[in-house]
């Protein structure tokens, strides 16, 4: 993954900012119920992408509920359960934030919901992480700014104060969604996870609309256009461009640039709807943005592996890491070498002792942090896929190990950051593990992916491809004889 924002990444971030900034103005423009709009954008998005994802990832959907994907059986179901809880948090976010845009100004609602990193940091504290002083300073500035801005907004009436409270609730719900997603994402692919969360979110918003007696899709022409805009811009274009840029740029830089959503949304609301916050509220809004920026930057420094040592300060026998510890990225684990003096030594030792649950839990936490900070397909996150593959081999699960090596090879060969040596190393290991697979269905499943990656690289002679073809041919002939 790139360490700096290039022109393509900046363009993708700006597209994301523009798409997300349209949410509050479009909701404020529409005359239909905010709850119905929230239901509509999620339902239409699910109907648009759901069938495609279900078709492409049908095999993974089966594995999610059978618990067949990772080292510990039924562990995948944990990801599905956390995904369902995250969908609930997402439904709460949409219901509160979109409702707030009808009760308070667009600029105020967007600025308050942008405090999500602040609440994310507090959740991190509840999980036992120690926050640096810069984070606490940013929290204080943001909270003070929200109090000042909301106090000025209170002069407009009780409804505006309630709208501000709903916007803050939307930020807290979004932080909860992010925290749950960090725990669930290593076990479920992006597409399957997105469909799972959207499904839960849509069903719960439908129930909420029915319970509150909210008319469903009783919209006029203007509201239908606004709903179409919500589908095209934040729901499809915004999320797609955000996922794209997180795969090639540092999450910290992206997060800071996403703070532009608040002023861009305010500009759109001013030009389109004639909304402009009171002059007395601007200092508070500025304090919110400055405080959130301080929190994001401090969090990135805290999670940056380069700023910490490579030893474990304290770890118990269950794999729980005590205290704030981060580890630098290590070279690929050699299959016949025992690393020493770092987190990998612990993983290697516990795996050989058969304590795969402790190993899996530890890898999941480290991988989630790498995904959050660097992106899902970054070198830092891919490293932990490679570690999983080594552990799978120790567990004598050749099929899982081959799948993980293939996944790492694909990530290394992606167009955003093509790493040819790492791709070849992962592909070689995938081939070795594939040769040890006994399940004929798995052999058939993995062979095309191996062949495709081999053909993409002129480094590979025809020998490996010929071996793949011979084994498949032998399997086919053996099956015919039976």
């Amino acid at each position: 993954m790139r360490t700096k924002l290039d022109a393509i990444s900046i363009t993708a971030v700006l597209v994301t900012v523009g798409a997300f900034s349209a949410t509050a103005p479009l909701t404020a423009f529409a005359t239909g119920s905010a709850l119905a709009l929230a239901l509509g954008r999620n339902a239409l998005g699910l109907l648009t992408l759901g069938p495609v994802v279900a078709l492409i990832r049908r095999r993974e959907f089966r594995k999610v509920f059978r618990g067949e994907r990772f080292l510990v059986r039924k562990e995948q179901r944990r990801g599905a359960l956390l995904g369902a809880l995250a969908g609930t948090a997402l439904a709460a976010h949409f219901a509160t934030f979109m409702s707030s845009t009808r009760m308070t100004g667009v600029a105020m609602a967007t600025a308050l919901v942008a405090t999500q990193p602040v609440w994310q940091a507090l959740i991190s504290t509840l999980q036992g992480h120690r926050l640096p002083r810069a984070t606490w300073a940013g929290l204080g500035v943001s909270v003070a700014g929200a109090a000042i801005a909301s106090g000025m907004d209170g002069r407009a009436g009780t409804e505006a104060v309630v709208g501000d409270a709903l916007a803050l609730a939307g930020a807290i719900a979004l932080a909860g969604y992010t925290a749950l997603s960090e725990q669930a994402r290593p076990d479920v692919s992006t597409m399957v996870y997105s469909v799972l969360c959207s499904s839960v979110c849509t069903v719960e918003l439908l129930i909420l609309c029915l319970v509150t007696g909210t008319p469903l899709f009783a919209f006029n022409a203007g509201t239908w256009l606004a709903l179409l805009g919500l589908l095209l811009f934040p729901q499809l274009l915004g999320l797609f461009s955000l996922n794209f840029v997180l795969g090639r740029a540092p999450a910290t830089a992206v997060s800071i640039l996403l703070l532009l959503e608040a002023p861009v949304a305010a500009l759109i609301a001013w030009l389109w709807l004639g909304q402009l916050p009171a002059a007395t509220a601007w200092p508070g809004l500025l304090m919110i943005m400055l405080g959130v920026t301080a929190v994001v930057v401090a969090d990135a420094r805290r999670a940056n592996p380069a700023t910490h040592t490579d030893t474990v300060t304290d770890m118990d026998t269950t794999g729980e890491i005590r205290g704030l510890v981060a580890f630098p990225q290590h070279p690929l684990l050699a299959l016949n070498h025992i690393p020493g003096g770092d987190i990998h030594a612990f993983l290697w030792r516990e795996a050989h002792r058969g304590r795969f649950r402790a190993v899996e839990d530890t890898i999941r936490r480290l991988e989630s942090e790498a995904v959050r900070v660097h992106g899902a397909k970054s070198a830092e996150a891919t490293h932990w896929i490679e570690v999983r593959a080594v552990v799978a081999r120790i567990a004598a699960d050749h099929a899982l190990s081959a799948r993980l090596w293939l996944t790492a090879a694909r990530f290394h060969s992606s167009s955003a950051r093509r790493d040819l040596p790492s791709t070849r190393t992962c592909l070689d290991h995938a081939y070795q593990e594939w040769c040890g697979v006994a399940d004929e269905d798995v052999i058939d499943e993995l062979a095309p992916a191996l062949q495709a990656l081999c053909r993409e690289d002129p480094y590979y002679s025809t020998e490996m491809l010929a071996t793949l073809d011979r084994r498949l041919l032998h399997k086919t002939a053996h099956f015919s004889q039976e």
Side-chain angles (χ1 to χ4, degrees):
M1 189 186 71
R2 301 173 189 272
T3 58
K4 296 182 180 180
L5 287 170
D6 58 7
I8 296 177
S9 299
I10 291 176
T11 301
V13 173
L14 293 178
V15 170
T16 303
V17 169
F20 284 167
S21 299
T23 302
L26 283 170
T27 306
F29 167 77
T31 57
S33 167
L35 285 179
L37 283 171
L39 170 63
R41 64 175 284 187
N42 280 277
L44 291 177
L46 183 61
L47 290 174
T48 302
L49 298 179
V52 177
V53 174
L55 179 63
I56 296 175
R57 295 283 183 171
R58 60 186 181 278
R59 185 171 294 169
E60 184 182 349
F61 271 108
R62 291 196 296 268
K63 292 179 179 179
V64 166
F65 297 102
R66 291 177 184 172
E68 297 176 354
R69 182 168 179 171
F70 288 111
L71 296 175
V72 182
R73 287 190 60 81
K74 299 183 180 180
E75 199 65 32
Q76 183 103 11
R77 296 177 187 173
R78 175 182 179 276
L81 176 60
L82 290 173
L85 294 175
T88 301
L90 192 62
H93 165 70
F94 282 128
T96 52
F97 172 54
M98 295 183 71
S99 297
S100 73
T101 62
R102 300 292 184 79
M103 306 176 72
T104 188
V106 167
M108 185 69 70
T110 309
L112 290 175
V113 86
T115 61
Q116 177 262 338
V118 172
W119 309 109
Q120 194 74 56
L122 290 177
I123 291 175
S124 180
T125 302
L126 295 176
Q127 292 175 335
H129 298 293
R130 296 176 58 188
L131 300 183
R133 293 180 180 177
T135 299
W136 287 111
L139 291 173
V141 172
S142 294
V143 171
I148 293 173
S150 298
M152 296 299 103
D153 207 29
R155 298 180 180 180
T158 305
E159 184 179 20
V161 176
V162 174
D164 294 345
L166 286 174
L168 282 175
I172 296 172
L174 188 57
Y177 168 78
T178 305
L180 290 166
S181 297
E182 286 180 6
Q183 298 297 317
R185 274 292 291 113
D187 291 338
V188 188
S189 71
T190 301
M191 290 193 290
V192 171
Y193 186 77
S194 299
V195 170
L196 174 62
C197 289
S198 295
S199 300
V200 173
C201 180
T202 300
V203 170
E204 292 184 346
L205 286 173
L206 174 61
I207 294 174
L208 184 60
C209 287
L210 294 176
V211 170
T212 58
T214 302
L216 302 179
F217 306 116
F219 301 150
N220 57 24
T223 302
W224 276 110
L225 287 175
L227 181 59
L228 179 61
L230 288 170
L231 172 65
L232 294 178
F233 290 106
Q235 194 73 22
L236 297 179
L237 181 60
L239 290 176
F240 175 82
S241 55
L242 177 61
N243 291 334
F244 169 78
V245 75
L246 285 177
R248 51 183 293 129
T252 306
V254 174
S255 299
I256 293 174
L257 287 177
L258 285 178
L259 294 177
L260 292 172
E261 179 185 346
V264 172
L267 178 62
I268 294 174
W270 175 47
L271 296 176
W272 184 18
L273 306 175
Q275 289 189 13
L276 193 65
T280 51
W282 281 108
L285 295 177
L286 180 60
M287 289 176 65
I288 292 174
M289 294 296 100
L290 290 176
V292 173
T293 301
V295 170
V296 171
V297 172
D299 183 63
R301 290 177 176 173
R302 176 174 63 90
N304 184 5
T307 63
H308 297 274
T309 64
D310 61 351
T311 59
V312 182
T313 57
D314 190 12
M315 179 179 292
D316 62 24
T317 56
T318 65
E320 289 290 340
I321 301 174
R322 299 169 180 167
L324 183 60
V325 180
F327 304 94
Q329 299 309 311
H330 286 250
L332 190 66
L333 284 177
L335 296 182
N336 297 313
H337 173 68
I338 299 179
D342 59 16
I343 182 61
H344 299 87
F346 166 80
L347 297 174
W348 186 275
R349 182 178 64 251
E350 296 301 292
H352 277 286
R353 291 175 178 174
R355 299 173 180 173
F356 295 114
R357 182 175 295 276
V359 172
E360 181 70 16
D361 289 344
T362 303
I363 294 176
R364 179 183 294 107
R365 286 191 293 274
L366 296 169
E367 185 180 4
S368 296
E369 182 68 14
V371 169
R372 184 181 67 82
V373 176
H374 302 285
K377 295 185 179 181
S378 63
E380 292 81 0
T382 304
H383 170 74
W384 295 110
I385 297 177
E386 297 165 355
V387 174
R388 284 178 185 270
V390 174
V391 175
R393 182 187 176 180
I394 296 173
D397 190 341
H398 298 291
L400 173 59
S401 184
R403 287 192 180 97
L404 291 169
W405 284 121
L406 278 171
T407 301
R410 291 193 191 98
F411 287 177
H412 284 307
S413 64
S414 63
S415 58
R417 52 162 195 87
R418 186 170 179 80
D419 185 346
L420 198 54
S422 295
T423 302
R424 290 171 176 171
T425 301
C426 293
L427 190 53
D428 287 340
H429 288 317
Y431 172 74
Q432 293 169 12
E433 297 301 319
W434 179 82
C435 289
V437 174
D439 190 321
E440 302 294 348
D441 292 334
V442 176
I443 293 173
D444 285 343
E445 175 191 345
L446 298 181
L450 275 168
Q451 290 171 322
L453 283 172
C454 288
R455 291 192 178 102
E456 290 178 3
D457 189 350
Y459 162 82
Y460 286 99
S461 65
T462 57
E463 182 178 352
M464 182 182 290
L465 290 171
T467 304
L468 286 165
D469 293 337
R470 279 198 304 272
R471 184 169 184 189
L472 291 175
L473 183 61
H474 173 74
K475 174 187 175 300
T476 302
H478 180 71
F479 180 78
S480 300
Q481 291 174 3
E482 292 181 345

